[in-house]
Amino acid sequence: METQLNLFSSEKNTDENVILSASEESPNVKKSFVVDASHNDSKNVKYKSLEEAKTAAMVCKKCALCNGRTNVVFSDGIENAKIMIIGEGPGENEDLQGLPFVGRAGQLLDKIFASVNLNRKEHLYICNIVKCRPPNNRAPLEEEANACSEYLKAQIKYIDPKIIILAGAVAVKGILKIKDPKITKIRGQWIESKDPLLANRKIMPIFHPSYLLRHEWNKNPDSPKAMMWKDVQEIKKAYESLTRCE
Ligand code: URA
């Protein structure tokens, strides 16, 4: 049985009804889950280019987050990246520097990907669900995520990543519209979506690096660190299989 899942629509899914049909379709993918999309308007991207989306974002006043920002944090990394990492929203350092994931969590994210020789200068494109810093580092509200969604849709369309990594529950919620994602349950799984904008991309939720910073880094195989290590290896394998096909 499959369920209906919308990208950027207001319908909610629970992660129980999203994780439905497991398939073994690639030797590199232990398990993958297919989610369906009931609306197919997500390909109707408002902006005609990434540059146009960025220009609009830089002066955006679509939600109240614009009042507290120092900088709009649009992205970092390369525009022909095969891997896009989507986080939650800028924190203090990101707001000050205008770049995503440059604080402690970002440095850890860089280390995690560097462990499999992937980095933002050569391989990754990094962005967030919202482009302006929420006050006191709170999670973005649904209306803030919705107000920002046209920018993210443009980023997905024009970067055209084959692999999308969702760092933390807010990114899972924002992209897959899962109401209350249990990141401990779905992390490390490849999710395939039939949503036109997401179709033919491998999507994997991972722990947010801030979560790892809050947990002890021990060698226990069930520790968040060990799981992240496993997940990044899986991401590297998927990346390698893409580059082998070229
Ligand atoms: N956390 C995020 O989710 N994104 C950032 O850019 C920084 C911290």
Side-chain angles (χ1 to χ4, degrees):
M1 189 184 85
E2 287 185 7
T3 191
Q4 300 289 292
L5 186 71
N6 302 332
L7 173 67
F8 307 119
S9 82
S10 53
E11 270 179 41
K12 296 284 169 23
N13 298 273
T14 63
D15 67 13
E16 281 74 21
N17 69 14
V18 166
I19 296 176
L20 292 168
S21 57
S23 64
E24 300 277 340
E25 60 143 35
S26 148
N28 285 336
V29 179
K30 246 189 351 298
K31 224 200 241 176
S32 72
F33 297 105
V34 181
V35 293
D36 209 347
S38 59
H39 288 239
N40 57 7
D41 62 350
S42 67
K43 257 212 155 144
N44 294 330
V45 174
K46 178 174 173 187
Y47 300 106
K48 300 281 173 284
S49 67
L50 190 64
E51 205 43 49
E52 192 183 304
K54 187 172 180 181
T55 303
M58 289 300 151
V59 292
C60 182
K61 292 197 169 152
K62 286 189 194 165
C63 80
L65 293 184
C66 68
N67 298 321
R69 75 178 175 227
T70 314
N71 284 296
V72 173
V73 178
F74 193 74
S75 68
D76 196 13
I78 57 166
E79 293 186 1
N80 61 345
K82 291 188 169 57
I83 305 177
M84 173 182 281
I85 302 175
I86 304 177
E88 178 176 323
E92 186 181 11
N93 291 297
E94 291 77 18
D95 175 61
L96 291 174
Q97 295 184 43
L99 290 169
F101 281 107
V102 289
R104 270 186 80 215
Q107 286 160 24
L108 178 55
L109 188 75
D110 283 345
K111 267 195 204 159
I112 290 163
F113 279 84
S115 75
V116 290
N117 296 314
L118 295 172
N119 63 68
R120 26 181 126 192
K121 288 208 164 66
E122 295 168 287
H123 313 101
L124 307 172
Y125 181 89
I126 305 182
C127 59
N128 282 306
I129 293 289
V130 294
K131 314 302 187 215
C132 298
R133 183 190 181 197
N136 305 314
N137 297 334
R138 67 156 166 75
L141 305 175
E142 193 172 331
E143 60 260 32
E144 294 161 352
N146 288 340
C148 231
S149 67
E150 281 300 331
Y151 305 127
L152 190 53
K153 282 165 66 175
Q155 287 173 308
I156 295 172
K157 178 171 177 178
Y158 298 116
I159 299 299
D160 195 20
K162 299 297 171 255
I163 297 172
I164 299 181
I165 305 303
L166 305 175
V170 169
V172 174
K173 234 195 266 188
I175 291 292
L176 298 176
K177 297 293 171 194
I178 301 174
K179 193 167 145 228
D180 185 20
K182 307 275 180 301
I183 197 77
T184 47
K185 252 167 75 183
I186 60 174
R187 58 130 279 278
Q189 310 288 353
W190 288 115
I191 295 175
E192 293 164 28
S193 174
K194 291 182 182 167
D195 183 292
L197 192 60
L198 297 178
N200 303 315
R201 309 188 198 282
K202 289 172 177 294
I203 304 169
M204 182 189 281
I206 60 170
F207 286 128
H208 192 284
S210 307
Y211 176 84
L212 297 180
L213 288 172
R214 292 195 300 271
H215 283 74
E216 216 180 303
W217 285 66
N218 61 40
K219 290 201 175 122
N220 178 335
D222 296 330
S223 72
K225 175 194 174 182
M227 290 178 191
M228 182 63 109
W229 173 247
K230 229 169 100 195
D231 295 349
V232 79
Q233 305 247 359
E234 191 66 45
I235 293 164
K236 181 62 187 269
K237 274 195 234 162
Y239 174 80
E240 279 174 345
S241 73
L242 286 176
T243 50
R244 259 200 307 275
C245 297
E246 282 176 345

